[in-house]
Amino acid sequence: MSALPVYRWRLAPDGLATRRQLRARGLRPGGQPVAAQLERPRRRRGPLVAYLYRIDLAKPVRPMTPSRAAALQRAMAARRTCPSCRRDAGYCIPPSLGMCVPCAYPNQQYKE
């Protein structure tokens, strides 16, 4: 098992990027292994860790097809639909409640 190089926050060398930085450039890791990691120290807990990938090995982001867009739209509609009242809540149903807020707290008065 090989150890990854570890860099301090904001001190990563050129040519390496996080997933978000790759995405901002229109790239994705594309199956390559993690090249290094970035650590940001914290006072009372362990450090925050971000994995770095090589930019030269990154591949372009796959384009959004009409069928993928439709599948994403159906998935988001399912997250907004209350299982109790079957209405579109207009927001993603919180997993902690498992239903829309009016169904979870029926005795409360809500302004719509």
Side-chain angles (χ1 to χ4, degrees):
M1 184 170 137
S2 64
L4 291 174
V6 178
Y7 299 103
R8 288 188 55 91
W9 201 253
R10 298 184 189 268
L11 296 178
D14 292 336
L16 297 178
T18 63
R19 282 181 178 269
R20 281 191 179 189
Q21 291 168 338
L22 287 176
R23 189 63 177 205
R25 293 179 180 205
L27 300 172
R28 62 186 168 98
Q32 66 173 299
V34 175
Q37 79 181 33
L38 202 59
E39 287 189 354
R40 179 180 177 196
R42 296 192 289 182
R43 290 178 187 247
R44 293 187 174 89
R45 292 184 278 171
L48 290 174
V49 176
Y51 296 113
L52 299 172
Y53 300 91
R54 290 181 45 185
I55 296 173
D56 59 339
L57 297 178
K59 296 180 180 177
V61 173
R62 294 183 188 117
M64 181 67 76
T65 63
S67 58
R68 287 179 66 199
L72 181 62
Q73 193 172 19
R74 285 192 306 270
M76 291 306 294
R79 290 183 66 192
R80 289 191 314 265
T81 303
C82 176
S84 297
C85 64
R86 292 289 186 205
R87 289 188 316 206
D88 185 347
Y91 53 87
C92 288
I93 304 293
S96 58
L97 295 178
M99 58 185 72
C100 64
V101 175
C103 289
Y105 304 106
N107 297 332
Q108 301 289 327
Q109 295 294 324
Y110 297 100
K111 296 179 183 176
E112 292 187 18

